[in-house]
Amino acid sequence: MTGASSIMADGFHSLSDTGSNIVGLIGITVAARPRDDSHHYGHRKFETIASMVIAMFLGIASFELLRGAVDRFLHPIVPQISNLSIGIMLATLAINIVVTLYERKRGRELGSEILTADSQHTQSDVLTTISVLIALIAIRAGYPVMDTIATLVIVGFIGFAAFRIFWASATILGDASLPIVHEVERIIREFPEVHDYHNIRTLGHPEEARVDLHVGVDPKLSTSECHDLTHRIQDKIQKDIPSVKEVLIHVEPETDRC
């Protein structure tokens, strides 16, 4: 109705939220399934895949909005801004702020990357809506070029959010190591039976990590003593680092290390 490309951009951004949330609901539903014969390590990465799809939605929205901004720059019009349009944007801003704060809080409490990703998505909505409001006020003051500028700002916000979500998801899917190795080493050093340790490896989601390592022990230790030692190390690691869900320890005689 107003002919403002910035309002259209914010509308399409919100429309992409709808698609993202549908993808997120599907991702969470699949990720919540227990381990089975075809997924021995569970389904958690399906949530990461859903986050990647959200990043894709944002990337497509960013491209389409950029194309629209360029077209508006080449074929400018003067938008007709009313009090109703400003009121709608203020209501949108209030809703997005509430949703962002709630999703971020619950995402941290639940350790859910999909909620965290979507909170970042909605946070970009807050910033874009603020930029639209500024543009609408500027247009009413006689600066219609601010409509195109606001649209480009929105494109920047969306693109940055897409990159952050994509990079975080790619890191997990690429099995990047987690910053808990030094903490694992500290725990291992608490066990006098361990004479040596090496090949400490980590992977997985930061809230659902897996750790495997090698420990060197006295060759005279019995099998049952080694078994007991590994369980005590596992329990200690999982107690001190709650995000670790699985620990695999390979015991070898210290003199046989190669």
Side-chain angles (χ1 to χ4, degrees):
M1 292 171 59
T2 63
S5 64
S6 55
I7 294 180
M8 287 287 290
D10 198 42
F12 277 113
H13 190 190
S14 296
L15 184 62
S16 73
D17 287 350
T18 303
S20 297
N21 288 336
I22 293 174
V23 171
L25 286 169
I26 296 173
I28 289 176
T29 301
V30 176
R33 293 178 181 175
R35 300 180 182 186
D36 54 36
D37 291 338
S38 59
H39 295 85
H40 295 167
Y41 291 98
H43 300 76
R44 182 62 185 263
K45 283 190 175 181
F46 281 96
E47 186 176 355
T48 307
I49 294 172
S51 294
M52 292 284 280
V53 175
I54 289 177
M56 181 186 69
F57 271 117
L58 288 172
I60 294 174
S62 180
F63 175 77
E64 291 298 323
L65 293 176
L66 179 61
R67 187 169 63 175
V70 171
D71 181 68
R72 180 56 57 87
F73 180 77
L74 296 176
H75 307 90
I77 65 171
V78 179
Q80 303 301 312
I81 307 303
S82 65
N83 291 333
L84 176 60
S85 60
I86 293 178
I88 290 174
M89 297 313 300
L90 286 172
T92 302
L93 177 62
I95 292 171
N96 286 337
I97 289 175
V98 171
V99 173
T100 297
L101 294 176
Y102 181 75
E103 279 192 315
R104 182 184 301 166
K105 178 176 179 292
R106 294 298 290 164
R108 289 173 179 172
E109 291 174 351
L110 300 173
S112 171
E113 62 188 287
I114 193 72
L115 283 177
T116 301
D118 201 57
S119 72
Q120 293 174 359
H121 190 171
T122 312
Q123 181 180 20
S124 70
D125 286 352
V126 172
L127 299 175
T128 56
T129 303
I130 290 174
S131 68
V132 172
L133 282 168
I134 294 173
L136 297 185
I137 294 172
I139 291 169
R140 293 187 71 170
Y143 300 95
V145 70
M146 288 299 296
D147 185 40
T148 301
I149 294 174
T151 304
L152 293 175
V153 170
I154 293 172
V155 170
F157 284 142
I158 298 175
F160 181 68
F163 175 77
R164 286 206 305 174
I165 295 171
F166 173 83
W167 186 255
S169 301
T171 298
I172 294 172
L173 292 176
D175 289 332
S177 59
L178 302 173
I180 57 174
V181 174
H182 293 304
E183 183 67 9
V184 172
E185 291 177 340
R186 179 194 64 78
I187 295 170
I188 296 173
R189 287 194 293 267
E190 296 180 10
F191 293 86
E193 301 96 328
V194 177
H195 297 172
D196 178 43
Y197 58 85
H198 53 281
N199 287 359
I200 299 177
R201 299 183 296 178
T202 62
L203 59 82
H205 187 274
E207 298 297 329
E208 197 169 297
R210 294 199 296 274
V211 178
D212 66 78
L213 64 141
H214 291 222
V215 295
V217 301
D218 189 332
K220 296 179 181 179
L221 285 182
S222 66
T223 302
S224 60
E225 288 173 323
C226 290
H227 180 75
D228 175 70
L229 174 62
T230 57
H231 275 283
R232 286 189 288 118
I233 295 175
Q234 290 171 352
D235 292 342
K236 179 65 174 175
I237 291 175
Q238 292 180 305
K239 178 182 178 181
D240 289 7
I241 313 176
S243 63
V244 175
K245 303 304 179 184
E246 185 171 327
V247 182
L248 178 63
I249 302 176
H250 176 75
V251 179
E252 57 189 30
E254 183 185 13
T255 57
D256 290 348
R257 178 183 172 184
C258 57

